[in-house]
Amino acid sequence: MQRLGRKVLFGHVLLLAAGALVGWLYDQVVVGLLVAALLGLGWQLRQLLKFEQALRDKHFGRLRYGDGIWSQLYSRFNYQRSQSKQNKKNYRQLVKEVRKSTNAMPDGGIILNSDFEIVLCNKAAQRVAGFRRRQDRGQRVDNILRDPTFGAYLKKGKFDTGIEIRSPIVEGAWLHCRIVPYGADQLLLLIQDVTERRRLAAMRRDFVANASHELRSPLTVVSGYLDTLAEEENIPANWKRPLAQMQIQTGRMNKIVAELLELSRLESAGEARRDEIVDVCGLLAATKKSLAGQDAIPQVVVDCNSRARLQGSTAEIESVITNLLSNAVRHTKEDGTITMSWTSDEAGATLTVTDTGIGIEPEYIPRLTERFFRVDPGRSREGGGVGLGLAIVKHILERHGATLHIESSPGSGSSFQCAFPAERIAAAPPVPITGSTVS
Ligand code: ADP
């Protein structure tokens, strides 16, 4: 038994003994014991009532007094109370610090519940996107950010990437919005002002487009003269080789300029058109046909497993197929095989170009769609590549809401998969009824 317990027990035994002794003096031991027990009980009750009163009045000063187990109880209670006061103070301080730091953030931060209702937001959210910290609490966030793209983003519920929308409060400003789920059902919406970044990107785009445009006319003149010179019969024999090389190089420059202009056009255009229906299977067959007559190229197989058609730009999808096929042809030996397939399911449709060629080292795969990136620049140049083909493919796919997935293993071949979302798939045409007409 603990020391305090022994002390309490001893005190009570002493009281009962005193009661018994006094009772014995008057020949009333039981009465004496009873009176002593009642006195002990009464005192305990008084202490209990005092404690209860102090709790009710929140007047804890008087709890300093007491005796035995009560004094211990009071001091422990007072200690716990002061501890909890200190904890509360620390907690308040912490909340203050968190609030101060989130308010110092340059980007807007908004905490949303699972119904996309605003729970809290920082000062930057007010400055960048016009959120009002008190009034907007409990409102659905798409009541404040009314851009349809943002509404579609919430509806889709896929938050692994962000989106860019126009600012609801500043004309010409752009915001990058990204939702990050956390905790059980909480979401954090991060809003960043990307106006400056977009302006710089537009400047770079314009510069490349203008420079390419300016280069086009002189290049056309130079190529024209070179072609004329090459056709000249009286030209000295030692000029023939340099002339042929100049023709190859101007041809290459023309290709670079044309592809840079095409990239600029794709970058500045928005979403791809939806009013045109693309017959992907037909395009695959036509692209295969265009290779007919070329020597020393691998076997090309078209595998059309779906009749699904695409809402998009025929010219652009054709450019995707041509780029992927010409890459596959350039990187596959003539005894290899290239398979172009078109499949669909309820999630969308996929265009795949697979080859049994040289393959690509895994570390290069994430860089393939960068402009002018080539795994082997010398080899690519020899084959007529300028390093812009896959950048064009990526942009065209983005405009169609599609993604490019590349799988490759060095020495075994590569597979380029273009996955189109279901919302871009047009209803398949009815199967033509075949039969003979009896006249
Ligand atoms: P290029 O004009 O050089 O072909 P691309 O942008 O089309 O430029 O391709 C970038 C690089 O990706 C190529 O230089 C090549 O190294 C690599 N590549 C593309 N397709 C294939 C493929 N099917 N097999 C192997 N490497 C490929």
Side-chain angles (χ1 to χ4, degrees), residues 91-275:
Y91 174 72
R92 250 184 250 127
Q93 187 63 27
L94 192 72
V95 170
K96 231 172 159 178
E97 292 295 325
V98 171
R99 192 168 292 158
K100 259 204 256 167
S101 58
T102 52
N103 280 339
M105 262 166 55
D107 300 337
I110 299 126
I111 295 179
L112 306 173
N113 64 18
S114 53
D115 294 325
F116 302 121
E117 288 163 352
I118 300 164
V119 178
L120 261 180
C121 68
N122 67 356
K123 273 193 180 151
Q126 194 168 352
R127 194 177 57 246
V128 174
F131 283 83
R132 293 164 309 166
R133 299 176 74 190
R134 289 209 170 74
Q135 296 94 314
D136 291 343
R137 201 172 281 174
Q139 287 243 40
R140 260 186 75 102
V141 65
D142 43 354
N143 283 343
I144 317 292
L145 299 176
R146 288 169 177 270
D147 193 303
T149 322
F150 185 72
Y153 179 59
L154 292 188
K155 212 168 162 191
K156 207 169 174 192
K158 273 192 175 173
F159 302 130
D160 37 359
T161 54
I163 49 154
E164 288 189 3
I165 58 168
R166 284 181 193 281
S167 161
I169 53 165
V170 184
E171 180 75 29
W174 281 83
L175 305 175
H176 180 270
C177 302
R178 163 112 202 245
I179 289 186
V180 186
Y182 75 97
D185 274 325
Q186 302 278 90
L187 304 162
L188 177 64
L189 167 63
L190 294 169
I191 304 181
Q192 193 183 14
D193 187 336
V194 288
T195 317
E196 188 56 19
R197 200 172 75 194
R198 281 181 74 102
R199 199 180 63 81
L200 288 175
M203 261 172 69
R204 178 184 58 94
R205 224 171 30 233
D206 290 349
F207 170 76
V208 174
N210 290 339
S212 314
H213 202 76
E214 292 300 322
L215 280 170
R216 210 150 107 161
S217 314
L219 258 174
T220 314
V221 176
V222 173
S223 325
Y225 279 124
L226 281 174
D227 290 345
T228 320
L229 271 174
E231 280 164 19
E232 192 64 53
E233 278 171 12
N234 303 330
I235 197 161
N238 57 345
W239 277 44
K240 286 210 169 135
R241 213 173 108 77
L243 261 180
Q245 271 180 352
M246 278 192 261
Q247 269 183 310
I248 292 172
Q249 293 307 325
T250 46
R252 203 173 125 69
M253 278 163 84
N254 272 320
K255 193 174 175 203
I256 294 177
V257 166
E259 292 195 352
L260 279 176
L261 281 171
E262 172 67 355
L263 260 177
S264 298
R265 185 191 70 78
L266 290 169
E267 273 184 333
S268 47
E271 214 198 30
R273 57 192 301 178
R274 286 174 183 269
D275 56 344

Side-chain angles (χ1 to χ4, degrees), residues 402-413:
T403 50
L404 177 66
H405 181 66
I406 306 169
E407 279 171 18
S408 188
S409 109
S412 310

